[in-house]
Amino acid sequence: MNEQHTGHEHTGWQAEMKVLLREPPLLISITVLFLLFGLFIIYPFIKILMVPDAEHWMRALTAKEFLEVFSHTLFSSLVATTTAIIFGFIFAYAVNYTNMPGKRFFQIVALLPTMAPSVVTGLAFIMLFGRRGFITWHVLHLQTDLYGPVGLWVAQTIAFFPLAYITISGVLKSISPNLELAAQNLGARGWYLFRTVTLRLATPGLASAFLLVGINSLADFGNPMLVGGNYHVLATEAYTQVTGAWDLPMGAVLSVFLVIPTLLVFFVQRYYLEKNSYVTVTGKPVAGLIRVTAGPVATWCFFAFCAVLCAAILMIIGVVFLFAFTVAFGADYTFTLQYFREGVVQSKVLLHSWSASMITAATTTILGIALAFLTIRKHFPGRTVMDFLAMLPVSLPGTFIGLALILAFNEAPLELTGTMAIIILGMTLRQLPVGYRQAVAGLKQIDASMEQASANLGANSFTTFRSIILPMLKNSLSVSFVYAFMRSMNTLSTVIFLVSPEWNLASINIMSLADQGFLPTASATAVGMMLTIYLTFGIVKLILRDKINIFDL
Amino acid sequence: MKWKALAAAVLAGTMMLAAGCGGDSSSGAKTEGGEQNLKGKKLVMYVSFHEDTAKELADQFKKKTGAEVSFIRLPTGEALARITAEKDSPKADIWLGGTSDAHAKAKADGLTEAYKSPNANMILPEYQDKDGYWYGTYLEVMSIGYNENRFKEEFEPKGIKAPETLEDLLKPEFKGEIIAPDPRKSGTGLTFISSVLQSMGEEKGWEYLKQLKGQVAQFTPSGFAPAQKTGAGEYLIALNFISDQMLVSQKGQKIHSTIYKDAGWTLCPVSIIKNSADKEVAQAFVDYCLTKEAGEILVRTTNGVACNPDVAPPEGQKPLSELPLFKEYNMEKAGEDKQMNCDKFFAE
């Protein structure tokens, strides 16, 4: 738990520049990254910022309805993030610190909410727990109404707890058991041990997860759209300003408002969390140490918690399956493959989604780790700017990214609209922050002394990166790959404006089908999507074996 | 600025050239069936109505002319936003479907271009743009729909009459059981409030809408959602287009629909996007949409009423001339007053 400086000494940007010049490959990669950021983040951003004029800004700042929307957004994402983090933490702790039965099963189920498109899960959620919900109305005879802040809270908690879980799980995994064992030897037990050692060590990771989930939920689109009812948030309002009120400038202004919380988050991160680093991977041997596990009572409590949560998830997914494989859900439960044939077998969209998502996942993982290595371990002018730019896209509503991209890349020389490239670009921008954040969190846990040792032995930055950093970041890399792939498969708002007749995607098709009342085909496509994701992970796992963690996050 | 002027000049030149070629036998070659031969040509469409309708129209058009048709379905607002963003280098030739106020907006913003179709006389003059920027293909009509099962089980035994008129919607027993589209976000919602204001007159209209607003449980961003949620029994009454209600009904969740007196309506038009890649095939497609044959496909797949009076109405529905529509409905005025009326509607 040593607080220390990493990398080279600070001596102003001139000194940093000198160091850079000594390593031309490093200089080149930094320059290339800045150019890419300039072209694909800053340029589209400026392009869309030029759309609104002063009058739009004034109206957005003074109109009561927009202020209300702004406060709704902050409130709903704050409560949902809090519960998602609590759920995610309990889940991650249960998976990493107990010997509860069915662990593997829980781990797989917990990923489902991220894998299934929110359009169908949202509808299934309403059908189970809504006004005429199967559980709430038919079984329990309750008068519930999910439309509004409460339903949104529940839906977002379920939707975002997997992200919290995998991020926190990564943090818990990297806590070296020897500290806990030492505490135990000194007499610490149970709650006291948890509170004084484990929780303390996990705090920076928790805060980081909180911020990540927080900005994701700020920009969330699918859930507020489906269960928000008359409760509007910025992401949906920005979208409907564009598509409903035909007011592109106002949509852009509202989207920019979402950047404000992200800026806050960014500074909190920079100036508070970075001061409290807890390095636990020091290169000293820890192998063979067995992690302290929770007692039997605690284990069974954890088991009950995970079981209830997973049951709720499975019910929601179950309804999607029922929709997909019965003639008419609610009226005729005869098994049929007709919808599966229409939505999956005879459709090319899943293949498109798969290709685009695979490329995106690979790109964001590699780019994320490269960026994290540069911003955490290297000192160069513009480091903070790079850090900020890598995080910026997460806060923007997907539709804003999509619109900015078509405004920026519709004409020669960079005419990308109507191609697969622009879809991948949009997805990559959207997922990059998660990949980057995961890599940062992973890197921060690793003591820089090992890299310094490598450097002392004559390795340059790239060799150190490849043979020291990469192997130690297996879990972070796995998380960002798995998560980016799943999210890209069912991202909706980002690609709404990017798909074309030639390159349509499964997620868009699902929304379009549901929108036209073809729920069974939409559900069948969603099932096909989940199967594709699991199959892909299975195959990747078979190929890479121990080089990647997929279901054991 | 200079660039735009140049582009306009090139465009004008191309147009004159195209017009000159009109009489040329090679470009306007007819096949045996009297159709144009457009083999090898490509047509790209943004479609803002049901996918299966568009697919059938595209297939038939391909069969007749040989042109390859590809399309993607985009809700009205998304299509408009996309066409706006792509205006300097459009990626589609045709915008098919959506609401006529949106097509009127596209015309006003210079996103679409005029075309005098030789088939224009096949549809009623009031259902096409006077300058030829857009042509109506079929009509969507507002309706009050209620969930039959829920009404029979929960309301009928209490001696409550089924909701069939606008006034019925104000009854206290229906409070919190009505779901309607949001006029700020959905063309259906806007059609409703604008037609009420125009048919009842400002004063009575506002009085009615204020009372109705208190009765409505949820305003949805999508025009279709009310039918779907009413079908599922979440709400008793849906206030949206009859074709959406009939679609849900046909899938087994029975909704009883009534076109009320002075019902609002909108058109689903077709427009040619300005600077589209291939004008000839786009124009041929517009011609095709106005024919009786296309009208029959539209009616069969949408339950809407065709703008071509030769096409029979959907089963169980009266012909256009007998529907209790608010004939004087002024869509352009509805579009102009949109912001003002929506603000007033949602103000406390």
Side-chain angles (χ1 to χ4, degrees):
Chain A
M1 228 202 321
N2 45 345
E3 242 180 71
Q4 72 173 75
H5 248 306
T6 54
H8 310 275
E9 286 301 312
H10 272 283
T11 37
W13 71 272
Q14 283 158 322
E16 290 175 357
M17 208 59 212
K18 251 184 217 158
V19 176
L20 259 193
L21 287 173
R22 276 208 300 270
E23 280 199 76
L26 195 62
L27 180 67
I28 292 169
S29 45
I30 289 170
T31 317
V32 168
L33 280 173
F34 268 121
L35 285 177
L36 286 177
F37 278 180
L39 183 61
F40 293 122
I41 298 180
I42 299 173
Y43 170 60
F45 197 76
I46 289 176
K47 191 94 182 174
I48 200 167
L49 276 188
M50 277 158 55
V51 176
D53 54 33
E55 183 221 342
H56 292 107
W57 291 98
M58 275 315 292
R59 195 153 72 83
L61 284 169
T62 51
K64 209 177 113 237
E65 62 172 300
F66 294 132
L67 292 177
E68 195 182 272
V69 166
F70 195 62
S71 64
H72 281 176
T73 312
L74 291 181
F75 176 75
S76 69
S77 87
L78 190 68
V79 293
T81 307
T82 310
T83 45
I85 289 290
I86 294 172
F87 280 32
F89 186 81
I90 297 177
F91 210 93
Y93 192 83
V95 164
N96 287 293
Y97 281 77
T98 73
N99 292 320
M100 65 176 180
K103 221 194 244 187
R104 198 31 77 97
F105 175 73
F106 289 146
Q107 284 178 308
I108 290 177
V109 173
L111 292 183
L112 278 170
T114 328
M115 245 175 241
S118 58
V119 174
V120 284
T121 50
L123 283 172
F125 175 62
I126 288 165
M127 265 158 209
L128 280 170
F129 305 108
R131 285 170 65 95
R132 280 292 179 280
F134 181 75
I135 304 278
T136 43
W137 175 260
H138 293 284
V139 178
L140 301 173
H141 304 288
L142 289 174
Q143 288 274 11
T144 51
D145 192 345
L146 285 177
Y147 298 114
V150 177
L152 183 59
W153 179 37
V154 180
Q156 284 191 326
T157 302
I158 297 177
F160 289 112
F161 110 86
L163 176 61
Y165 149 61
I166 55 178
T167 314
I168 295 168
S169 186
V171 173
L172 291 181
K173 267 195 209 331
S174 57
I175 292 175
S176 170
N178 57 8
L179 287 166
E180 288 158 344
L181 283 174
Q184 211 173 22
N185 289 339
L186 294 170
R189 289 288 181 277
W191 175 249
Y192 184 75
L193 170 69
F194 168 76
R195 194 170 55 83
T196 55
V197 181
T198 314
L199 194 59
R200 273 287 171 79
L201 288 171
T203 301
L206 272 181
S208 183
F210 191 92
L211 301 177
L212 185 62
V213 174
I215 33 194
N216 258 291
S217 70
L218 277 174
D220 181 28
F221 173 77
N223 293 304
M225 201 72 179
L226 281 158
V227 293
N230 294 335
Y231 191 84
H232 305 297
V233 297
L234 273 177
T236 51
E237 196 62 28
Y239 168 79
T240 45
Q241 279 297 323
V242 175
T243 62
W246 309 330
D247 198 342
L248 179 65
M250 190 50 90
V253 169
L254 293 181
S255 300
V256 172
F257 280 178
L258 273 175
V259 181
I260 300 169
T262 310
L263 271 172
L264 282 175
V265 163
F266 176 77
F267 285 110
V268 168
Q269 179 100 25
R270 254 219 96 80
Y271 294 104
Y272 170 71
L273 289 178
E274 288 211 340
K275 299 225 170 6
N276 304 292
S277 95
Y278 297 88
V279 177
T280 59
V281 182
T282 53
K284 290 157 199 143
V286 291
L289 294 177
I290 296 158
R291 197 179 282 297
V292 190
T293 50
V297 179
T299 301
W300 284 106
C301 288
F302 281 124
F303 177 79
F305 175 84
C306 294
V308 169
L309 195 55
C310 286
I313 293 170
L314 282 178
M315 272 197 287
I316 291 172
I317 302 296
V319 171
V320 177
F321 269 80
L322 278 177
F323 260 112
F325 294 108
T326 60
V327 173
F329 182 77
D332 182 352
Y333 290 100
T334 318
F335 177 81
T336 178
L337 280 175
Q338 178 205 341
Y339 305 120
F340 194 74
R341 219 174 293 132
E342 271 173 41
V344 181
V345 183
Q346 297 163 354
S347 170
K348 276 187 300 188
V349 288
L350 270 172
L351 187 66
H352 294 165
S353 288
W354 185 86
S355 328
S357 305
M358 273 309 248
I359 298 173
T360 304
T363 316
T364 48
T365 309
I366 296 166
L367 206 58
I369 180 76
L371 277 167
F373 177 65
L374 291 174
T375 58
I376 299 292
R377 292 294 198 251
K378 300 288 158 191
H379 289 274
F380 55 89
R383 191 172 70 112
T384 319
V385 178
M386 188 179 271
D387 186 29
F388 175 67
L389 286 178
M391 282 306 286
L392 180 66
V394 83
S395 65
L396 302 170
T399 42
F400 179 82
I401 295 180
L403 272 175
L405 289 180
I406 50 173
L407 284 175
F409 302 113
N410 189 49
E411 283 165 278
L414 259 174
E415 187 170 346
L416 296 178
T417 42
T419 66
M420 180 79 140
I422 199 164
I423 293 174
I424 295 171
L425 180 59
M427 286 180 172
T428 305
L429 286 183
R430 199 89 187 101
Q431 299 310 327
L432 181 63
V434 176
Y436 173 65
R437 234 33 264 172
Q438 292 291 350
V440 166
L443 263 181
K444 285 208 173 145
Q445 298 271 349
I446 300 170
D447 196 320
S449 60
M450 279 176 282
E451 292 147 51
Q452 284 157 2
S454 159
N456 290 343
L457 293 170
N460 63 17
S461 288
F462 279 87
T463 315
T464 307
F465 179 70
R466 210 186 56 237
S467 50
I468 306 287
I469 310 269
L470 280 187
M472 285 198 295
L473 283 177
K474 185 173 91 171
N475 200 66
S476 307
L477 290 178
S478 304
V479 169
S480 52
F481 179 83
V482 166
Y483 192 76
F485 179 72
M486 289 189 298
R487 285 297 294 261
S488 299
M489 279 297 280
N490 58 50
T491 181
L492 195 59
S493 53
T494 314
V495 290
I496 272 179
F497 290 107
L498 303 179
V499 291
S500 51
E502 197 180 346
W503 297 108
N504 203 356
L505 297 173
S507 55
I508 298 289
N509 226 25
I510 290 169
M511 183 186 70
S512 185
L513 287 165
D515 204 25
Q516 302 170 78
F518 303 122
L519 271 182
T521 319
S523 305
T525 315
V527 168
M529 186 185 266
M530 287 184 266
L531 291 178
T532 309
I533 295 174
Y534 271 119
L535 266 177
T536 307
F537 287 164
I539 292 167
V540 169
K541 182 74 191 167
L542 276 179
I543 295 170
L544 294 176
R545 295 191 179 265
D546 283 345
K547 292 199 184 69
I548 191 165
N549 299 337
I550 285 186
F551 300 111
D552 184 25
L553 294 170
Chain B
M1 255 353 248
K2 222 161 136 191
W3 202 94
K4 284 223 171 104
L6 186 71
V10 171
L11 182 74
T14 327
M15 263 165 36
M16 279 198 297
L17 208 67
C21 287
D24 194 310
S25 61
S26 67
S27 80
K30 305 264 171 173
T31 56
E32 280 166 58
E35 303 295 333
Q36 268 175 296
N37 185 357
L38 299 167
K39 244 194 172 66
K41 302 225 172 211
K42 287 200 172 91
L43 181 71
V44 182
M45 306 196 287
Y46 290 155
V47 174
S48 304
F49 54 46
H50 284 273
E51 191 137 5
D52 44 355
T53 311
K55 189 166 181 317
E56 240 182 276
L57 284 178
D59 287 349
Q60 282 304 316
F61 181 67
K62 189 187 168 188
K63 218 188 243 169
K64 285 180 164 305
T65 62
E68 290 293 328
V69 184
S70 62
F71 67 87
I72 188 167
R73 182 184 169 272
L74 302 169
T76 311
E78 277 170 31
L80 186 62
R82 170 93 63 117
I83 296 166
T84 309
E86 293 175 347
K87 82 171 170 230
D88 294 327
S89 172
K91 299 292 179 287
D93 312 297
I94 287 281
W95 180 20
L96 176 62
T99 52
S100 41
D101 46 339
H103 282 256
K105 165 93 172 148
K107 173 193 172 185
D109 289 353
L111 304 173
T112 50
E113 68 181 44
Y115 165 56
K116 291 279 179 200
S117 169
N119 294 355
N121 58 355
M122 289 186 182
I123 61 167
L124 299 169
E126 57 265 43
Y127 300 140
Q128 51 185 287
D129 178 53
K130 58 185 188 307
D131 304 317
Y133 278 84
W134 52 261
Y135 293 91
T137 60
Y138 72 95
L139 256 85
E140 295 268 26
V141 184
M142 287 296 301
S143 151
I144 297 170
Y146 62 87
N147 183 309
E148 280 190 7
N149 286 341
R150 276 200 60 195
F151 183 76
K152 279 197 190 112
E153 278 168 28
E154 299 168 39
F155 293 85
E156 212 168 46
K158 291 186 209 157
I160 296 165
K161 208 173 99 347
E164 286 176 344
T165 67
L166 288 182
E167 283 65 37
D168 286 346
L169 300 179
L170 302 181
K171 289 182 183 165
E173 52 265 34
F174 298 136
K175 188 175 166 69
E177 284 290 356
I178 303 173
I179 179 165
D182 189 333
R184 285 172 298 194
K185 295 158 190 183
S186 145
T188 317
L190 182 68
T191 305
F192 177 71
I193 70 160
S194 313
S195 61
V196 164
L197 288 174
Q198 289 184 20
S199 69
M200 294 188 185
E202 289 276 323
E203 198 178 325
K204 266 189 73 191
W206 277 119
E207 200 180 306
Y208 176 79
L209 289 177
K210 284 259 145 75
Q211 287 184 51
L212 182 72
K213 191 182 151 206
Q215 298 280 94
V216 175
Q218 194 187 142
F219 289 99
T220 62
S222 142
F224 177 70
Q228 190 243 326
K229 291 184 195 299
T230 298
E234 289 186 65
Y235 296 93
L236 179 72
I237 302 169
L239 200 52
N240 62 348
F241 289 135
I242 190 167
S243 55
D244 293 336
Q245 296 172 3
M246 284 171 81
L247 191 89
V248 171
S249 212
Q250 281 164 357
K251 293 193 185 220
Q253 299 175 317
K254 285 276 173 253
I255 297 181
H256 184 282
S257 301
T258 313
I259 297 177
Y260 52 87
K261 189 175 164 289
D262 283 340
W265 50 276
T266 192
L267 291 167
C268 288
V270 57
S271 293
I272 297 177
I273 295 166
K274 201 172 183 173
N275 301 337
S276 80
D278 197 325
K279 224 153 284 179
E280 190 189 3
V281 59
Q283 291 176 347
F285 186 78
V286 170
D287 296 343
Y288 173 69
C289 283
L290 309 181
T291 60
K292 188 177 174 206
E293 187 196 312
E296 275 160 0
I297 294 177
L298 289 163
V299 168
R300 180 160 43 78
T301 51
T302 65
N303 293 310
V305 187
C307 296
N308 184 328
D310 296 342
V311 180
E315 230 181 270
Q317 215 179 87
K318 290 175 192 155
L320 194 48
S321 53
E322 288 170 37
L323 289 178
L325 300 184
F326 173 53
K327 297 253 161 39
E328 299 76 27
Y329 180 51
N330 183 340
M331 274 168 285
E332 267 156 40
K333 183 170 161 46
E336 285 160 20
D337 297 347
K338 179 177 177 177
Q339 181 82 47
M340 189 181 78
N341 286 342
C342 287
D343 285 351
K344 192 164 171 184
F345 185 69
F346 285 100
E348 289 316 315

